[in-house]
Amino acid sequence: MRPNSSFLLAFSAPALASLQIIPGATWTASDGRHIQAHGAGVIAENGTYYLIGEDKTDGTPFQNVNCYASTDLVRWDYVGALLSRTSSGDLGPDRIVERPKVIYNEATQKYVLWMHIDSRDYGDAKAGVATGDSVCGKYGKRLYHLLKSYSNIPLEYQGSVRPLGFQSRDMGLYKDDDGSAYLLTEDRQNGLRIDKLDSTYTKVESNVYTWSEKIESPAMVKVDGRYYMFGSHLTGWDPNDNVYSTSTSLSSGWSSWREFADDGANTYASQTTFILPYGDGNFMYLGDRWRSDSLFSSTYIWLPLTIGGPTSVSLKNKVNWVPNLLGGGVWTEGITETSYEGEAGQAGGAAKTVSCNDCSGGNAMGYIGGPDSGTLTISGITTQKAGTTTIRIRYANGDSSTRYANVRVNDRPAVKLAFLPSRGGVGSSTLVADLETSDNTIVFEGVDGGWGPDIDRLFVPVE
């Protein structure tokens, strides 16, 4: 299965003004839903990036391993599910499938997907693998649990075993310059492990290194001949100050663990899932901001990561920033914005100003959508540079489920946006829109008779 060509082609039509990443915001994909790719990894192919992660729509039990595609790391096309729940077995009801990661094997011409497989009480602690012929195609329905002693058995389901006989929970994958590949796996009894995979990438061959420290959510990159391993401490769903270790050899010489974000910031309320090299020597930290009581509403903390040497790795929090993948590949700070108050817009139908303690000025425009088809129209929006840009939408959603709105910009076809629960406060959602330099109009409407969010204000880049 390949990305929807019409969606990806639509990306490149207007001039690009400022496509921004908004860490922690509701992130709507092409299917009109918040991206469901938690614990994800990314693989790039022919200028397209594929985001592969967990579907948490219905909570903890396994539902799908989803795949999304993007050419700019901001706008994501939902492609489909690589693996889906089956009637029984390791992909069956009430099972755990987490942290899927994909690498490509040039020798076998197969994409290899590894993931954490477990029981609901996390007692199984296994690693599973599946293979596919295309990066976002349906992977083989057979799931393999691998042990070195099974290396001569054909690739088919092997039952409940652990890599080299050790526990395996949070995991990652790393493919080195020479084509060798490694499973990065958290062994609760012994520590974080680097295990070498065989030439097919589907079997664990040997252990390369084990840290005695208890570190999970591993992710690794190589910069100028030096390896950097990132991970988090073990605090369940709660965030902590994530750390990194570095060495010029996978098998020895690893440094003590160091923090890389501001001390005490709990990695900006996130947990490492992947480190993405992209563009002209850039690195992006991909983290999950977990909401354990409503996992579907967990968001993504993606930030530029500076790797300047073994003692110079730094991650700084940002409200917004520009990865600039299509503009040279050198990230820039977030664009200066102009704000437009929701309650200052034109109400239609039953929409009206409502009180909102955490909103700007204490008010928002509410009753959008619903049985009386409330609408909000904000006119007179300006920017110094026409083109495609990212608009931040501050909103309130007091429900325990996602609200939706159809959003029309300058009479173009409506785009369905998701607005996650804001937990009694104010949240952010993102709208990618094509703007003219002046006289832009944005209209918010309900979807299928449902209630939309209460709109606090819009932040529009000035250029």
Side-chain angles (χ1 to χ4, degrees):
M1 186 184 296
R2 290 293 180 181
N4 181 302
S5 58
S6 62
F7 185 81
L8 290 177
L9 287 173
F11 283 178
S12 57
L16 297 176
S18 55
L19 290 175
Q20 302 185 96
I21 288 177
I22 315 298
T26 306
W27 204 334
T28 306
S30 63
D31 60 350
R33 300 171 62 238
H34 176 58
I35 291 173
Q36 290 294 324
H38 308 283
V42 176
I43 180 172
E45 182 181 84
N46 298 324
T48 298
Y49 290 80
Y50 297 92
L51 176 69
I52 296 168
E54 310 159 28
D55 183 349
K56 295 294 190 186
T57 300
D58 296 324
T60 301
F62 172 61
Q63 298 144 67
N64 301 287
V65 172
N66 285 336
C67 184
Y68 297 80
S70 176
T71 57
D72 54 35
L73 299 173
V74 175
R75 297 167 293 182
W76 290 93
D77 178 14
Y78 173 67
V79 180
L82 304 186
L83 293 172
S84 297
R85 182 185 295 163
T86 57
S87 60
S88 62
D90 280 335
L91 299 182
D94 215 31
R95 295 291 294 177
I96 301 297
V97 177
E98 296 177 334
R99 300 193 176 274
K101 304 293 187 294
V102 171
I103 52 177
Y104 181 67
N105 189 312
E106 285 83 1
T108 64
Q109 298 184 13
K110 294 285 187 180
Y111 294 90
V112 183
L113 167 66
W114 281 85
M115 70 216 88
H116 169 207
I117 299 293
D118 226 319
S119 54
R120 187 64 181 267
D121 64 359
Y122 286 87
D124 285 358
K126 303 169 185 174
V129 64
T131 60
D133 293 323
S134 61
V135 63
C136 256
K138 282 286 186 182
Y139 279 54
K141 288 297 184 182
R142 294 175 299 179
L143 182 71
Y144 313 117
H145 296 300
L146 301 171
L147 192 65
K148 186 178 180 181
S149 60
Y150 288 175
S151 59
N152 294 323
I153 296 178
L155 291 180
E156 57 187 15
Y157 181 68
Q158 296 294 331
S160 297
V161 295
R162 298 169 174 177
L164 303 178
F166 294 95
Q167 293 184 11
S168 179
R169 290 190 175 88
D170 276 10
M171 51 134 295
L173 282 180
Y174 175 70
K175 183 178 176 181
D176 211 343
D177 304 335
D178 61 2
S180 57
Y182 301 85
L183 179 69
L184 318 174
T185 173
E186 185 257 317
D187 174 359
R188 193 62 51 90
Q189 293 179 328
N190 299 288
L192 179 62
R193 301 168 57 86
I194 301 176
D195 288 345
K196 191 175 189 299
L197 300 177
D198 74 346
S199 61
T200 69
Y201 301 169
T202 60
K203 301 181 182 69
V204 174
E205 190 172 82
S206 61
N207 176 247
V208 175
Y209 189 81
T210 301
W211 285 266
S212 59
E213 295 90 346
K214 302 300 189 290
I215 300 293
E216 63 179 5
S217 67
M220 189 157 66
V221 292
K222 188 177 184 180
V223 184
D224 297 331
R226 178 174 289 273
Y227 301 95
Y228 294 80
M229 176 73 88
F230 295 80
S232 80
H233 302 290
L234 277 63
T235 54
W237 295 109
D238 296 328
N240 56 65
D241 287 332
N242 287 198
V243 290
Y244 77 97
S245 176
T246 181
S247 176
T248 56
S249 169
L250 287 174
S251 60
S252 63
W254 286 94
S255 69
S256 58
W257 295 94
R258 299 182 177 91
E259 297 175 5
F260 56 92
D262 291 336
D263 183 50
N266 291 329
T267 326
Y268 315 118
S270 74
Q271 183 184 37
T272 301
T273 185
F274 195 76
I275 306 298
L276 174 65
Y278 82 96
D280 186 14
N282 291 307
F283 297 91
M284 190 186 301
Y285 165 88
L286 276 61
D288 291 289
R289 179 172 287 172
W290 298 112
R291 288 184 167 178
S292 59
D293 59 348
S294 56
L295 287 172
F296 75 91
S297 65
S298 299
T299 57
Y300 308 98
I301 305 302
W302 291 13
L303 291 165
L305 179 70
T306 300
I307 302 179
T311 61
S312 182
V313 177
S314 177
L315 186 75
K316 295 297 182 182
N317 200 15
K318 300 182 184 301
V319 173
N320 55 326
W321 65 284
V322 182
N324 202 30
L325 184 63
L326 301 182
V330 178
W331 73 271
T332 62
E333 297 287 348
I335 306 299
T336 301
E337 299 164 313
T338 302
S339 65
Y340 297 83
E341 295 289 338
E343 67 272 20
Q346 179 182 348
K352 62 181 180 181
T353 298
V354 296
S355 176
C356 174
N357 290 336
D358 292 323
C359 292
S360 171
N363 293 306
M365 183 64 76
Y367 292 92
I368 296 170
D372 295 318
S373 302
T375 64
L376 166 63
T377 300
I378 300 178
S379 303
I381 296 172
T382 63
T383 182
Q384 295 177 10
K385 183 177 180 181
T388 306
T389 193
T390 304
I391 297 172
R392 289 195 294 133
I393 305 171
R394 295 288 284 172
Y395 70 92
N397 171 11
D399 294 345
S400 60
S401 58
T402 305
R403 292 187 184 184
Y404 297 92
N406 283 327
V407 183
R408 291 187 290 111
V409 179
N410 296 336
D411 293 324
R412 294 188 179 94
V415 174
K416 181 181 175 182
L417 286 188
F419 298 83
L420 294 172
S422 57
R423 296 180 168 237
V426 176
S428 292
S429 188
T430 59
L431 168 67
V432 175
D434 300 331
L435 296 182
E436 306 298 332
T437 55
S438 61
D439 296 328
N440 294 283
T441 299
I442 298 179
V443 179
F444 292 84
E445 304 167 329
V447 177
D448 297 330
W451 291 109
D454 298 341
I455 299 298
D456 174 19
R457 53 180 169 166
L458 311 185
F459 290 88
V460 180
V462 299
E463 61 180 13

